[in-house]
Amino acid sequence: MISIKGLSKVFTFNNKKLTAVDNLTLDIKEGEIFGVIGYSGAGKSTFIRLLNRLEEPTQGDILIDKQEITTLSANQLRLARQDIGMIFQHFNLLWSRTVKDNIAFPLEIAGIPKAKREERVQELIDLVGLTGRENAYPSQLSGGQKQRVGIARALANNPKVLLCDEATSALDPETTNAILDLLVDINKKLGLTIILITHEMHVIRKICHQVAVMEQGKMVEQGNVLEVFSNPIAQVTKKFVAQVMGTADEGEDIKSLQEMYTDGKLIHLHFVGESTNQTLISQIAKKFPIDINILQGKITQTQAGGYGTLFVQMIGEEEEINKAVVFIRDETSAEVEVIENVN
C-alpha cells in the first residue's frame, strides 16, 4: 500500500541546516495500523506531513497505492489528497460551522451534489457516534466529540489512508481510549490503512499492528508491536516500553525482592503471545512438591497478543525447584530466569 524510500527533509534556518527526517525507508501494508513513536523533536510530525506533502520532501520517494506522491503537480496532488484523510491534535474544525457542515466541507470542495453530501454526512455521523449532535457547533462539544468530528471529516471522501497526527494527545485517558477504540472499529469495518504518530506507548500498545521508533530523524527500530515490546533493542525503545510495563526500576525491584524474600529461589518469568494464557503457576504447583509465592508482575495486551513479566518465589527442595525451572524452559513457551538462590 505505502512504500517509502530514502525520505529526507532538511530545514534551513539562518544559514544552518536541520535534518528533521533522515533517509527513511519503510513499507506499510494495506489495512494495517502502523504506529510511529518518538519523543518531541524526533521528526515524527514532519514525517507524517511529508506523506501528503503538507511538507515538501528534500529527497526520497513516497508511493501510495502505486501512485508516486512526490512527482505530482498541484492539481494532481489535490485529487490525490482525497484518498489521504488526516486528523490533527487540535482538531482544526471550522468554528462557525455545525458538526454536519464541518463533515460536509471536503465533500463541497470535491463538488459532490447536495443530496449525496447529506447522505454521506449522516452515514459518517452514525459511524463515529455523533447521532443527535448534527447541529451543534464545535464550542458546544467535548474534546472527544470534536475529534470524532475530525475523524468523520477525514473519512468523508472514502480515503484509502488515514493519517493521525498526535490525534489523542490533547484528550484525557478515558476519552483517548474511546477514540482509539473508534479507530480500531473503523480500521476493521473499512479496511482502512492508518498511520498514527504519538509519543505515548499506550497508544501503540492498544491499537497498532506495527511500530517504528524515531529518534533524531531516523527510524532506530521497527517491527511487530509484540516483538518490539518483548525484545526492545534501541535505548529509546526500552524507555517507551518501560512506560507501559513499569519496568524502568526493575533493577531496584529485584534488589528489594531479594531483601524481602530470603527463602528458596527468586524466579523471573517472561510471557509473550499465547504463553500469557497458560495456567503455568497452577501446572507447576500440581506437578512439583514446592510452594510458589507470586510476588509481583504485570501483563499487558497488544493487537498481536499479550506480553508480561512475573516474579515468583519457589520454596522447597532445591532439586524439585530445579526440576520446575527445567520444566518451564523445556515444556512451555514462557522464558524463565533464576535471579538468585538465597539458600
Side-chain angles (χ1 to χ4, degrees), residues 35-74:
V36 179
I37 189 167
Y39 290 111
S40 296
K44 56 190 187 297
S45 288
T46 301
F47 163 71
I48 204 168
R49 290 169 65 85
L50 290 170
L51 297 184
N52 59 3
R53 282 177 57 188
L54 288 178
E55 292 284 357
E56 289 292 336
T58 302
Q59 66 179 35
D61 301 314
I62 304 169
L63 198 67
I64 299 180
D65 196 25
K66 301 179 181 180
Q67 186 174 41
E68 177 53 68
I69 298 297
T70 56
T71 61
L72 298 180
S73 66

Side-chain angles (χ1 to χ4, degrees), residues 89 147 166-172 176 179-180 183 198 200 203:
Q89 175 181 357
Q147 195 57 283
E166 296 277 11
T168 60
S169 61
L171 306 175
D172 63 73
T176 290
I179 293 298
L180 294 178
L183 290 174
T198 182
E200 300 171 297
V203 173

Side-chain angles (χ1 to χ4, degrees), residues 111-341:
I112 304 301
K114 184 177 180 180
K116 288 188 175 180
R117 283 204 311 266
E118 292 179 348
E119 181 181 354
R120 177 61 177 159
V121 167
Q122 193 57 53
E123 288 176 1
L124 292 165
I125 285 172
D126 295 339
L127 176 67
V128 301
L130 286 173
T131 305
R133 303 294 285 162
E134 295 92 335
N135 296 312
Y137 287 89
S139 61
Q140 299 170 311
L141 303 177
S142 67
Q145 290 172 330
K146 291 172 188 173
Q147 195 57 283
R148 288 174 186 270
V149 177
I151 292 170
R153 182 183 59 186
L155 297 176
N157 283 313
N158 290 301
K160 299 172 183 176
V161 177
L162 180 63
L163 308 179
C164 304
D165 187 2
E166 296 277 11
T168 60
S169 61
L171 306 175
D172 63 73
E174 184 176 353
T175 306
T176 290
N177 285 329
I179 293 298
L180 294 178
D181 288 339
L182 174 60
L183 290 174
V184 170
D185 187 52
I186 289 169
N187 170 256
K188 291 178 178 178
K189 286 181 178 178
L190 306 181
L192 193 65
T193 303
I194 299 176
I195 303 174
L196 184 152
I197 70 164
T198 182
H199 62 275
E200 300 171 297
M201 199 64 174
H202 161 72
V203 173
I204 300 293
R205 174 195 67 78
K206 186 173 176 65
I207 73 169
C208 294
H209 305 112
Q210 297 281 324
V211 60
V213 183
M214 285 192 73
E215 186 176 32
Q216 296 182 342
K218 294 180 178 291
M219 294 286 187
V220 296
E221 192 161 352
Q222 180 188 340
N224 174 279
V225 170
L226 183 56
E227 292 173 357
V228 171
F229 256 76
S230 59
N231 187 32
I233 297 171
Q235 191 61 39
V236 65
T237 311
K238 292 178 181 179
K239 290 181 180 179
F240 279 122
V241 172
Q243 289 178 5
V244 175
M245 293 303 299
T247 56
D249 299 320
E250 196 167 85
E252 290 296 320
D253 290 342
I254 292 172
K255 184 178 178 181
S256 297
L257 292 173
Q258 289 172 327
E259 293 173 352
M260 293 174 63
Y261 301 95
T262 57
D263 294 331
K265 288 186 177 181
L266 186 61
I267 308 294
H268 192 187
L269 300 171
H270 298 269
F271 304 89
V272 179
E274 292 182 0
S275 68
T276 58
N277 298 322
Q278 293 178 347
T279 56
L280 182 58
I281 302 302
S282 177
Q283 289 182 57
I284 296 170
K286 292 176 180 178
K287 198 173 185 68
F288 303 97
I290 59 176
D291 293 323
I292 302 176
N293 184 17
I294 297 175
L295 306 180
Q296 70 178 48
K298 183 174 183 179
I299 302 273
T300 190
Q301 294 296 321
T302 73
Q303 285 290 310
Y307 166 67
T309 184
L310 186 67
F311 288 95
V312 301
Q313 177 191 29
M314 292 186 180
I315 302 174
E317 296 294 331
E318 184 171 358
E319 182 180 356
E320 295 299 327
I321 294 175
N322 290 338
K323 286 181 182 179
V325 171
V326 170
F327 170 78
I328 297 170
R329 284 179 178 153
D330 295 347
E331 304 296 332
T332 78
S333 55
E335 298 177 6
V336 59
E337 177 188 4
V338 179
I339 300 300
E340 183 180 357
N341 184 348

